[in-house]
């Protein structure tokens, strides 16, 4: 009985520590010096803060869905380009890199739908992390994020003009879906990109920089889900990360610090074949 009591007490103490850390992290996000700037009806901000026990640099663009036309840009092969260039080509005001791709051929490695036309399929090697889709319709003014399996791609995206499969899904209907994820992809800190929305209909494009321990440690998948909750998102999905992670806006350019040049600056963008833009 005494031993069982000690185990219960230790478990309670551990839970209390976790909750205290979660509260501290939530407050850190709320109190961060985001330095918000207006880009039309959107707000773009970035902040350096201590989060998840490490220094992090987080970039955010948020905007009311009804005021923008959000869609997927498909630019494979020779059409592929850095996120910023694809954004300017399509006269975007905001843009973020989208889903996983074949780095040799610069073609999508996941199911993608642009302007109502379907391209590609989700490669077998991507199925372990690609369990959801982000979709847009009503001229890009309506968004949905859903958990979906390959057999259901066509059914789930029927009637949606633009869609792209990615993952893992972080938050669905307010629930964190990442607790059971334990792969090295999930548990290792990397630069990460996510897209989501809150109850008021604001869409969030978010990048956490990484691979620069003194400036930004990066995040695990569960940590990205926690950040989504701290930002008030009720639906969120992880997009391609690592050297692809890029957030751009028409007013100031690249907001975060892409890592492909191995410098903590705004110049290290990777060439990608798909992005999500808002106009």
């Amino acid at each position: 009985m005494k031993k069982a009591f000690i185990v219960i007490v230790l478990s309670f103490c551990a839970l209390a520590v976790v909750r205290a850390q979660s509260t501290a992290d939530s407050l850190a996000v709320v109190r961060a010096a985001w330095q918000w700037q207006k880009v039309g009806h959107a707000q773009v901000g970035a902040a350096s803060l201590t989060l998840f026990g490490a220094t992090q640099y987080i970039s955010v663009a948020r905007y009311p869905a009804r005021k923008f036309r959000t869609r997927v840009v498909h630019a494979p092969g020779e059409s592929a380009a850095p996120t910023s260039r694809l954004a300017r080509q399509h006269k975007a005001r905001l843009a973020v890199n989208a889903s996983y791709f074949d780095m040799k051929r610069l073609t999508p490695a996941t199911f993608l739908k642009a302007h109502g036309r379907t391209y590609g399929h989700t490669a077998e090697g991507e199925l372990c992390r690609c369990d959801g889709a982000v979709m847009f319709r009503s001229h890009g003014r309506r968004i949905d994020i859903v958990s979906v399996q390959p057999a259901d791609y066509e059914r789930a995206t029927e009637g949606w003009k633009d869609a792209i499969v990615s993952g893992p899904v972080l938050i669905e209907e307010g629930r964190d879906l990442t607790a059971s994820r334990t792969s090295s992809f999930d548990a290792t800190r990397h630069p990460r990109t996510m897209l989501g929305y809150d109850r008021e209909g604001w869409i969030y494009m978010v990048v956490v920089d990484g691979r620069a321990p003194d400036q930004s440690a990066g995040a695990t998948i569960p940590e990205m889900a926690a950040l989504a909750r701290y930002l008030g998102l009720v639906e969120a999905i992880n997009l391609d990360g690592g050297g692809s992670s890029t957030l751009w806006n028409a007013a100031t350019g690249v907001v975060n610090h892409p890592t492909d040049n191995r410098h903590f600056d705004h110049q290290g963008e990777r060439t990608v074949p798909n992005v999500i833009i808002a106009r």
Side-chain angles (χ1 to χ4, degrees):
M1 181 67 71
K2 184 176 181 181
K3 186 176 180 179
F5 175 75
I6 291 173
V7 170
I8 292 171
V9 169
L10 289 175
S11 298
F12 178 81
C13 291
L15 181 60
V17 170
V18 169
R19 287 177 174 172
Q21 183 62 55
S22 179
T23 299
D25 285 340
S26 178
L27 289 173
V29 171
V30 171
R31 295 172 178 173
W34 289 103
Q35 300 179 349
W36 295 109
Q37 299 183 56
K38 285 190 174 183
V39 182
H41 293 284
Q43 298 172 342
V44 177
S48 177
L49 64 155
T50 299
L51 190 65
F52 311 128
T55 300
Q56 305 286 1
Y57 192 93
I58 303 174
S59 304
V60 179
R62 59 188 186 188
Y63 59 97
R66 68 185 184 281
K67 296 286 187 179
F68 286 76
R69 301 178 70 176
T70 306
R71 70 179 188 87
V72 176
V73 171
H74 175 54
E78 294 182 357
S79 299
T83 297
S84 61
R85 189 185 307 169
L86 292 175
R88 288 192 294 267
Q89 288 174 0
H90 292 270
K91 300 180 180 179
R93 284 182 281 176
L94 304 166
V96 71
N97 67 290
S99 197
Y100 308 103
F101 61 96
D102 184 317
M103 292 186 66
K104 290 185 178 179
R105 291 185 278 185
L106 294 175
T107 53
T110 67
F111 176 94
L112 182 153
K113 193 173 185 181
H115 285 298
R117 185 175 177 183
T118 299
Y119 301 89
H121 65 281
T122 300
E124 184 175 350
E126 300 293 349
L127 295 177
C128 60
R129 58 184 175 182
C130 292
D131 60 359
V134 55
M135 309 179 296
F136 305 96
R137 68 179 174 195
S138 300
H139 302 289
R141 293 185 172 90
R142 183 179 171 190
I143 180 177
D144 196 12
I145 293 171
V146 296
S147 295
V148 63
Q149 297 302 315
D152 296 324
Y153 289 164
E154 294 289 349
R155 178 192 57 77
T157 62
E158 185 177 359
W160 295 83
K161 193 172 183 180
D162 289 83
I164 192 164
V165 166
S166 194
V169 175
L170 304 171
I171 304 291
E172 187 170 42
E173 296 180 352
R175 296 180 296 109
D176 185 339
L177 301 186
T178 68
S180 62
R181 301 193 63 91
T182 58
S183 72
S184 60
F185 171 81
D186 300 301
T188 305
R189 284 178 168 168
H190 291 291
R192 302 278 188 181
T193 300
M194 72 174 168
L195 188 91
Y197 56 91
D198 65 17
R199 294 188 186 281
E200 283 68 51
W202 282 64
I203 296 177
Y204 281 65
M205 298 173 169
V206 182
V207 168
V208 177
D209 285 333
R211 299 177 183 168
D214 293 337
Q215 291 90 11
S216 191
T220 67
I221 289 298
E223 287 170 349
M224 289 300 289
L227 176 59
R229 294 199 313 272
Y230 302 154
L231 291 170
L233 307 187
V234 294
E235 304 271 351
I237 189 170
N238 183 70
L239 301 176
D240 189 15
S244 300
S245 286
T246 304
L247 179 65
W248 175 92
N249 75 96
T252 62
V254 176
V255 186
N256 72 303
H257 304 85
T259 63
D260 253 23
N261 64 351
R262 300 186 180 182
H263 294 290
F264 198 73
D265 58 24
H266 303 294
Q267 310 305 315
E269 286 186 80
R270 175 177 290 176
T271 296
V272 297
N274 49 67
V275 296
I276 295 172
I277 66 168
R279 299 175 57 180

